[in-house]
Amino acid sequence: MPRILLVEDETSIADTLVYALETEHFEVCHTTTAGEALEKLHHHFDLAILDVGLPDMSGFDLCSEIRKSSSLPVLFLTARDSEIDRILGLELGGDDYVTKPFSPREVAARVRAILRRMGNPPPPPTSEPSTLNHNPSAMTISCHGKPLNLTAHEYKLLAALMSQPGRIFTREQILIKAWDDPGSAMDRTVDAHIKSLRAKIRAQTPEGKDPIETRRGLGYTLNPDSL
């Protein structure tokens, strides 16, 4: 079972990645700081996933420290998408680069690809297909391979939930993300669109499973298993 060192200080992102990677049969050691990660490096790891924006040291600097004594494959996670950042990360010895927000399954797929290139065969992928897939450039979301027929608000709402699976979004946060003029809509508007989304997803999902979960008194969240 390949061992992954995950260095990510955002708990919601880390929890989602740990779940996705462990589901794909990777063993994950999670740390929140570069200092803690450096202390762990005496253990054997097959790959490191480094957040660029760490609290005590940038992921780029951490990669440079790792490269002083190890050729451990590195995958960078960052909220920055500029060409210079990508080039810098690769020149420092990074093997790949993923920008936030991202699909946890995409990260797992990139980890597999890196390990294959390094001659370290990854575990066989799980056979269960993902429920939802987002194509940001085409502004489409598919369910089990078939595009969902979504209104603009439904698309923006579902895309927001998919951007951080497992995170609870309040109705106010959803209004801000999915409506150009949040003040013109009400909480009940969000509930109505959630109801419509659920109906469309269930219509294309075996056994009518619903990936959108209601957290009473809090808001809505997307089950990470759906990605």
Side-chain angles (χ1 to χ4, degrees), residues 15 27-28 30 33 44 51 59 69 81 89 91 96 106 114-115 135 137 140 148 170 175 183-184 189-190 193 218 224:
D15 289 347
E27 181 181 345
V28 183
H30 171 225
T33 66
H44 169 74
D51 181 22
S69 59
D81 192 24
E91 287 185 344
D96 206 346
E106 177 191 359
I114 294 171
L115 292 178
N135 184 337
S137 59
T140 59
L148 290 167
T170 66
L175 285 172
S184 65
T189 304
V190 173
H193 280 76
L218 298 174

Side-chain angles (χ1 to χ4, degrees), residues 91-211:
E91 287 185 344
L92 286 172
D95 296 272
D96 206 346
Y97 195 101
V98 180
T99 56
K100 301 175 183 178
F102 49 74
S103 161
R105 290 177 66 89
E106 177 191 359
V107 174
R110 287 176 181 258
V111 167
R112 288 178 177 282
I114 294 171
L115 292 178
R116 258 193 306 271
R117 291 200 301 268
M118 301 300 295
N120 188 354
T126 55
S127 58
E128 184 178 352
S130 60
T131 301
L132 298 172
N133 283 289
H134 183 201
N135 184 337
S137 59
M139 290 187 168
T140 59
I141 298 175
S142 60
C143 180
H144 289 286
K146 297 180 180 180
L148 290 167
N149 183 19
L150 304 177
T151 66
H153 287 139
E154 288 171 348
Y155 165 75
K156 292 177 182 178
L157 194 162
L158 186 54
L161 294 177
M162 292 179 69
S163 70
Q164 291 183 270
R167 171 185 167 178
I168 298 173
F169 287 87
T170 66
R171 289 172 176 82
E172 181 180 5
Q173 289 170 333
I174 291 174
L175 285 172
I176 292 172
K177 287 181 173 292
W179 270 260
D180 294 332
D181 182 10
S184 65
M186 299 181 293
D187 287 354
R188 289 195 298 274
T189 304
V190 173
D191 296 338
H193 280 76
I194 290 286
K195 182 178 180 181
S196 175
L197 267 176
R198 282 173 162 159
K200 292 179 179 181
I201 293 171
R202 283 175 179 148
Q204 293 183 196
T205 303
E207 301 178 3
K209 292 183 179 179
D210 181 8

Side-chain angles (χ1 to χ4, degrees), residues 24 46 54 57-58 65 126 136 138 142 162 172 178 182:
E24 294 291 327
D46 296 285
L54 295 170
M57 179 190 298
S58 78
E65 289 296 316
T126 55
S142 60
M162 292 179 69
E172 181 180 5

Side-chain angles (χ1 to χ4, degrees), residues 66-91:
I66 291 173
R67 284 290 170 264
K68 291 179 181 179
S69 59
S70 172
S71 59
L72 180 70
V74 170
L75 171 66
F76 286 114
L77 303 177
T78 180
R80 298 179 292 187
D81 192 24
S82 68
E83 183 181 33
I84 188 64
D85 285 326
R86 291 196 298 272
I87 292 173
L88 177 60
L90 296 174
E91 287 185 344

